[in-house]
DNA sequence: CCATGATCATTG
DNA sequence: CAATGATCATGG
């Protein structure tokens, strides 16, 4: 058995690689690395994420954990014509285990400690292949970010524990929304009386308003 | 089934 | 027109 090659991709190296294609279009980057683009982008929602993963050398596939051995998580960030995030950012699927852990030891926090954001024009700006990349930047949560996230985490997980349900409107930076193939994509769970039941698969997302503040700060920093 | 990558499309 | 709730694709 051979061990898959593991490069140690540090922050500076990843930033340099990502900055190379700032200003490029999806089609240009895809051609550069000979990466096929989907014929129907609407049915290939993760296509840009996969393209950037390959361009930066992420090779962990769909294994759990950060994209790079260095612990850095890669996220594309769709931005509208005004430069503001057009969508929320997926963090991690909600599991029963999450409900027993504080923010500090959560899987979500582990993924958000060191993030490389790669901005890309959203579909509201121009056609799929012509959408251009922005300048990548790194985010590490500040102490204040962590306070907000920890507070949301405590609130949201308690809502799920006590009520079983939680609205997407709850949470300042984090929110819980569906995440699955469709409405039939459920997960096993114990109800209030401890009886087994099924529950729509859900996940944590970062609100666009939160990534907007992150984006604004990164702009001021350079 | 688990996880990864997200955006779509309807609603308010 | 932003936000919520729903959905799509791929790999192990």
């Amino acid at each position: 058995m051979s061990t898959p090659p593991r490069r140690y991709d540090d922050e500076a190296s990843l930033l340099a690689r990502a900055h190379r294609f700032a200003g490029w279009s999806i089609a240009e980057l895809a051609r550069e690395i000979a990466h096929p683009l989907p014929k129907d982008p609407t049915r290939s929602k993760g296509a840009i994420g996969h393209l950037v993963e390959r361009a930066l050398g992420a090779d962990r596939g769909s294994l759990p954990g950060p994209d790079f051995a260095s612990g850095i998580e890669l996220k594309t960030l769709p931005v509208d014509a005004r430069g503001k995030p057009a969508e929320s950012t997926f963090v991690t699927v909600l599991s029963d285990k999450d409900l027993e852990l504080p923010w500090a030891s959560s899987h979500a926090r582990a993924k958000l400690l060191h993030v490389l954001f790669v901005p890309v024009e959203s579909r509201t700006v121009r056609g799929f292949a012509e959408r251009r990349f922005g300048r990548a930047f790194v985010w590490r949560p500040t102490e204040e970010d962590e306070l907000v996230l920890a507070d949301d985490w405590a609130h949201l997980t308690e809502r799920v524990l006590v009520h079983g349900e939680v609205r997407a409107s709850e949470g300042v930076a984090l929110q819980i929304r569906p995440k699955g193939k469709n409405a039939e994509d459920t997960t096993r769970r114990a109800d209030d009386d401890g009886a087994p039941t099924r529950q729509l698969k859900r996940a944590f997302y970062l609100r666009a308003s939160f990534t907007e503040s992150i984006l604004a700060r990164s702009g001021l920093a350079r």
Side-chain angles (χ1 to χ4, degrees):
Chain A
M1 296 284 274
S2 64
T3 305
R6 290 295 285 267
R7 271 201 308 235
Y8 186 83
D9 302 273
D10 64 22
E11 179 182 310
S13 164
L14 289 174
L15 273 174
R17 266 182 263 164
H19 287 164
R20 241 190 94 248
F21 57 81
W24 293 18
S25 69
I26 303 288
E28 287 168 342
L29 179 57
R31 187 172 64 163
E32 162 93 2
I33 65 173
H35 184 81
L37 290 180
K39 290 178 182 174
D40 183 1
T42 299
R43 300 190 143 270
S44 307
K45 299 177 181 179
I48 302 177
H50 295 309
L51 169 64
V52 174
E53 280 183 347
R54 249 202 74 193
L56 294 183
D59 59 358
R60 307 202 65 250
S62 60
L63 296 174
D67 294 289
F68 298 97
S70 50
I72 297 176
E73 174 72 15
L74 175 63
K75 295 284 183 198
T76 57
L77 183 64
V79 295
D80 63 21
R82 297 138 53 211
K84 299 195 171 188
E87 295 283 352
S88 56
T89 299
F90 167 72
V91 179
T92 184
V93 171
L94 168 66
S95 71
D96 283 356
K97 191 181 177 187
D98 288 322
L99 304 180
E100 301 165 3
L101 295 174
W103 165 254
S105 50
S106 68
H107 182 38
R109 178 172 184 269
K111 294 181 74 167
L112 293 179
L113 278 181
H114 202 170
V115 181
L116 175 66
F117 280 107
V118 179
V120 61
E121 290 174 329
S122 79
R123 64 173 178 153
T124 62
V125 181
R126 65 187 92 244
F128 180 75
E130 284 68 51
R131 290 166 57 183
R132 288 176 294 171
F133 291 103
R135 184 177 173 81
F137 64 94
V138 163
W139 170 66
R140 282 176 179 277
T142 63
E143 284 187 30
E144 189 175 332
D145 289 334
E146 287 250 36
L147 289 176
V148 175
L149 290 165
D151 195 54
D152 280 347
W153 179 269
H155 174 73
L156 295 172
T157 53
E158 190 199 300
R159 289 287 300 176
V160 173
L161 267 177
V162 176
H163 305 278
E165 305 211 345
V166 59
R167 300 252 140 208
S169 56
E170 299 192 57
V172 174
L174 277 178
Q175 65 181 168
I176 291 179
R177 299 217 312 279
K179 163 72 174 177
K181 180 162 182 56
N182 52 44
E184 279 67 54
D185 194 349
T186 58
T187 184
R188 252 180 292 280
R189 167 173 178 71
D191 68 14
D192 294 343
D193 303 320
T197 180
R198 310 230 31 125
Q199 156 79 245
L200 183 65
K201 195 179 287 184
R202 297 167 295 180
F204 291 95
Y205 297 82
L206 293 180
R207 288 186 176 283
S209 58
F210 186 67
T211 50
E212 180 185 335
S213 80
I214 291 173
L215 194 50
R217 280 179 269 156
S218 83
L220 292 174
R222 62 168 206 270

